[in-house]
Amino acid sequence: MTVVPEPPDILSPQFAADPYPAYRILREHYPVVFHEGTASWLLSRYDDVERAFRDPVFTTDNYDWQLEPVHGGRTIVQMSGREHAVHRALVAPAFRGRELREKFLPVIERNARELIDRFRDARRADLVDRFATRFPVNVIVDMLGLDRTEHDRFHAWYAAVVGFFANLSQDPEVAEAGLRASRELAAYLLPVIHRRRAEPGTDLLSSLCTAEIDGTVMTDQDITSFVSLLLSAGGETTDKAIAGMFRNLLAHPEQLEAVRADRTLVPAAFAESLRFTPPLQMIMRQTAEDVTLDGGTIPAGATVTCLIGAANRDDTHYARPDTFDIHRTDLTTANAFSAAADHLAFALGRHFCVGALLAKTEVEVGANQLLDAFTEMDFADGTPAADTGVFVRGPLRLDLSLTPAAG
């Protein structure tokens, strides 16, 4: 007689330590289940999470309470229809194609080099503290054309805002820290926005201030909210992705050596890390009407928690899903950073992450410069660093022993 385990609690210490066994139980026995602690319905199978990202019946109305307070206003992730299309078109050009390649690639390369220069001769370093957590925030500050001496201040705001939306247990101190950071960030940005409207430059903030499509321009609040979203979503994904990718590669030395020998494999290593250990483990949606799935019916107006970390390990979609393999054939880099991706780490459909190509560029530049700077890397204590976090997840530290390149 087969004993069916109890539904796992995604707020339990056991889940926080290692969510993947719980994800397996959810996929196999409770693909659609109500979770009391978050007052939401959990989806864990790939096909169900994919539908939740693509089907308009799964709305982003939940962001009205989940994200809007900390971003100080509505952002493009809350919008739908023409409003969403227009606002996405206003911000998207900076994150793809010629503008990303010609205007912002030098900014990314410079920031990677400057951070690595600070520990280029080190024999031991924490890659999270010295590089991963700083790099994307510094890049965003510089893309916006803001004061480079304020990098540390922006990093503190970023950490507090990320803490707010990752606060599943509703700790009031964490919530207040996020709201305080939101107010401080807006107060800092507004005078700068007014100056850029009067005298625009070539930076991203100026582009946001002057962009216009069909008579629609971004208001001051639109811009401050978007910058807050960009700092939190753009910073957190790349921060955790770089640390997670290097941890995963170091735990599989033969794959690290393959990437070191053939740098065209960096995007494959990034894509596989996004699948294997996605930085953003869950995204919420809200149902506009009753929705029936194979595992049950979700009522209208319900909050739905889409478990990306579970869906990305679904064995009906991937061969050997619990194995990290940059050479796998069921995950292609050709579309891994587009709305047609065959993983769910950037969501899919109309709300696919607008900064996916920026993240890819940052990871490629950062990884290549790190591999050039250090001819050998290993875990300083000989064991892989563990991930921490529930909503967002990755190594808090990545202590490495390093062999600097000669010269």
Side-chain angles (χ1 to χ4, degrees), residues 12-45:
S12 69
Q14 294 83 3
F15 182 89
D18 182 4
Y20 294 101
Y23 287 152
R24 188 178 306 111
I25 293 170
L26 288 168
R27 284 194 309 268
E28 293 177 359
H29 302 288
Y30 306 98
V32 180
V33 64
F34 186 76
H35 179 254
E36 293 283 351
T38 56
S40 70
W41 292 79
L42 308 182
L43 299 184
S44 50
R45 290 179 178 171

Side-chain angles (χ1 to χ4, degrees), residues 71 185-186 189-190 193 220-229:
H71 291 317
L185 175 61
L189 287 172
L190 284 170
I193 291 169
D220 290 356
Q221 186 178 79
D222 287 339
I223 295 173
T224 58
S225 297
F226 179 73
V227 170
S228 178
L229 176 68

Side-chain angles (χ1 to χ4, degrees), residues 95-375:
F95 301 100
R96 65 188 183 205
R98 181 176 178 180
E99 191 157 355
L100 174 60
R101 184 173 61 254
E102 296 183 1
K103 184 184 292 187
F104 297 124
L105 179 58
V107 173
I108 296 168
E109 292 173 334
R110 181 184 71 237
N111 275 281
R113 184 172 59 252
E114 289 177 350
L115 284 170
I116 293 171
D117 281 347
R118 298 177 187 175
F119 67 102
R120 194 176 295 274
D121 297 324
R123 296 284 175 171
R124 179 167 177 161
D126 172 9
L127 194 66
V128 171
D129 179 61
R130 301 301 297 269
F131 187 80
T133 195
R134 302 280 173 178
F135 179 43
V137 176
N138 290 7
V139 166
I140 290 167
V141 170
D142 286 8
M143 286 177 66
L144 291 165
L146 300 173
D147 187 348
R148 304 191 80 222
T149 65
E150 300 279 15
H151 279 169
D152 286 348
R153 194 176 182 190
F154 273 90
H155 188 269
W157 284 333
Y158 146 74
V161 170
V162 167
F164 181 95
F165 67 72
N167 186 24
L168 292 179
S169 62
Q170 297 299 301
D171 184 319
E173 291 186 7
V174 173
E176 177 51 37
L179 295 173
R180 185 169 58 251
S182 174
R183 294 190 295 268
E184 291 174 358
L185 175 61
Y188 176 93
L189 287 172
L190 284 170
V192 185
I193 291 169
H194 296 159
R195 291 196 295 270
R196 299 292 163 84
R197 290 199 191 279
E199 298 181 16
T202 60
D203 54 83
L204 175 58
L205 190 59
S206 294
S207 297
L208 297 175
C209 289
T210 57
E212 179 178 346
I213 293 179
D214 297 336
T216 298
V217 297
M218 295 184 74
T219 66
D220 290 356
Q221 186 178 79
D222 287 339
I223 295 173
T224 58
S225 297
F226 179 73
V227 170
S228 178
L229 176 68
L230 179 61
L231 274 172
S232 56
E236 189 73 355
T237 300
T238 308
D239 168 0
K240 298 285 191 293
I242 291 173
M245 185 180 77
F246 271 93
R247 188 273 316 283
N248 293 336
L249 287 171
L250 285 161
H252 300 81
E254 73 290 347
Q255 296 188 53
L256 174 60
E257 289 313 305
V259 172
R260 190 182 285 281
D262 179 3
R263 301 300 178 81
T264 65
L265 290 174
V266 171
F270 181 29
E272 174 64 348
S273 283
L274 289 173
R275 183 202 69 81
F276 186 66
T277 49
L280 187 58
Q281 290 274 307
M282 51 191 76
I283 289 178
M284 291 181 175
R285 291 288 186 261
Q286 185 170 310
T287 49
E289 58 190 56
D290 291 359
V291 180
T292 299
L293 302 166
D294 283 345
T297 298
I298 302 173
T303 301
V304 178
T305 299
C306 304
L307 298 173
I308 295 170
N312 275 355
R313 299 275 190 108
D314 190 332
D315 63 6
T316 67
H317 198 82
Y318 301 103
R320 300 172 294 107
D322 294 320
T323 299
F324 178 79
D325 181 8
I326 65 172
H327 304 292
R328 66 170 54 249
T329 57
D330 47 18
L331 183 68
T332 59
T333 56
N335 62 7
F337 309 99
S338 74
D342 40 20
H343 65 85
L344 301 172
F346 287 131
L348 291 173
R350 65 198 182 283
H351 285 292
F352 177 79
C353 176
V354 71
L357 288 176
L358 172 63
K360 175 179 180 283
T361 304
E362 289 175 327
V363 170
E364 286 185 298
V365 168
N368 277 298
Q369 290 201 24
L370 286 163
L371 291 171
D372 288 342
F374 303 103
T375 57

